[in-house]
Amino acid sequence: GFTYSSHPIPERLKRHLEALGFRIATRVLAPSEFIGQVLQREYDVASEKLSIVPNGVDTARFTPKGSMSDNDSTGVNVTTVSRLTEQKGYAHLLDATASLSDRLSIDVNIFGEGPHRPHLESQSSELGIDEVVTFHGFVSNASLLSAYRKADVFAFPTVYERFGLVVLEAMAVGTPIVAFDAGGVK
């Protein structure tokens, strides 16, 4: 996992450290068949060392939402949650918002922090959609649950994702998902 985060360790060294970890491990757990296949293909993890333990969501907490009247948005409430990095594809979401905003009343709520936020805020302004796009930053779990429930649509524009737990959370509350057919999201 840390190959794709923002550690100061050079990429080549990260991959060597990951490969070493997989070689010396007695058991390797993957949260999906997709990730298991990636580990076997990219790191030569032997199938006998690999176990699939799917991620899950606390369905006692992430319960289906009430009526759509719970939504206090004036337009279609599109919500998304993620770390704001380039791979998460938010530039695509902002481009889509710009192409829809003149034909559809839309409110885009982006929850999360990350190094790509200043670029995305700038892009939003340049596209003239900063009045319909709100960057909420990092919020509490209770606020996040409320956001999932108020959403008309949960957008997950990531272009590369090993596994998107936020997609399961949004599904658990009954929010329709729009996502790229990428990685573990399938």
Side-chain angles (χ1 to χ4, degrees), residues 5 9 19 30 40 50 52 54 75 77 93 103 105 108 110 123 136 178 184:
S5 62
I9 301 171
Q40 288 177 312
L50 184 64
I52 307 299
N77 179 329
L93 178 61
R103 294 175 284 162
S105 178
V108 176
I110 299 174
Q123 179 185 358
H136 295 274
V178 175

Side-chain angles (χ1 to χ4, degrees), residues 14-183:
K14 289 180 201 179
R15 291 193 70 74
H16 285 316
L17 289 171
E18 284 181 332
L20 175 63
F22 289 128
R23 262 196 321 275
I24 64 174
T26 325
R27 172 78 45 211
V28 176
L29 304 179
S32 70
E33 290 290 337
F34 171 78
I35 294 175
Q37 292 168 3
V38 169
L39 293 173
Q40 288 177 312
R41 184 177 61 250
E42 292 183 14
Y43 292 99
D44 274 338
V45 172
S47 59
E48 60 272 6
K49 287 175 70 170
L50 184 64
S51 294
I52 307 299
V53 180
N55 278 334
V57 173
D58 180 355
T59 55
R61 187 169 147 244
F62 290 92
T63 57
K65 59 186 170 185
S67 70
M68 292 308 277
S69 63
D70 290 345
N71 182 350
D72 56 8
S73 173
T74 58
V76 175
N77 179 329
V78 177
T79 294
T80 185
V81 177
S82 188
R83 182 163 158 70
L84 303 182
T85 62
E86 190 172 358
Q87 89 178 52
K88 298 298 184 175
Y90 283 109
H92 302 299
L93 178 61
L94 295 179
D95 287 340
T97 300
S99 70
L100 291 173
S101 64
D102 61 341
R103 294 175 284 162
L104 177 69
S105 178
I106 187 170
D107 293 308
V108 176
N109 293 284
I110 299 174
F111 293 87
E113 281 296 341
H116 209 53
R117 181 173 176 166
H119 172 76
L120 295 170
E121 289 175 328
S122 176
Q123 179 185 358
S124 178
S125 181
E126 289 169 13
L127 291 170
I129 57 172
D130 46 351
E131 291 202 11
V132 299
V133 176
T134 304
F135 291 88
H136 295 274
F138 183 82
V139 297
S140 70
N141 286 333
S143 295
L144 197 53
L145 180 57
S146 176
Y148 284 132
R149 287 185 174 146
K150 289 179 180 177
D152 296 314
V153 174
F154 183 82
F156 197 62
T158 187
V159 293
Y160 178 83
E161 187 70 34
R162 300 258 176 163
F163 190 89
L165 188 58
V166 294
V167 171
L168 291 182
E169 292 172 347
M171 288 173 68
V173 301
T175 303
I177 310 296
V178 175
F180 284 116
D181 186 12

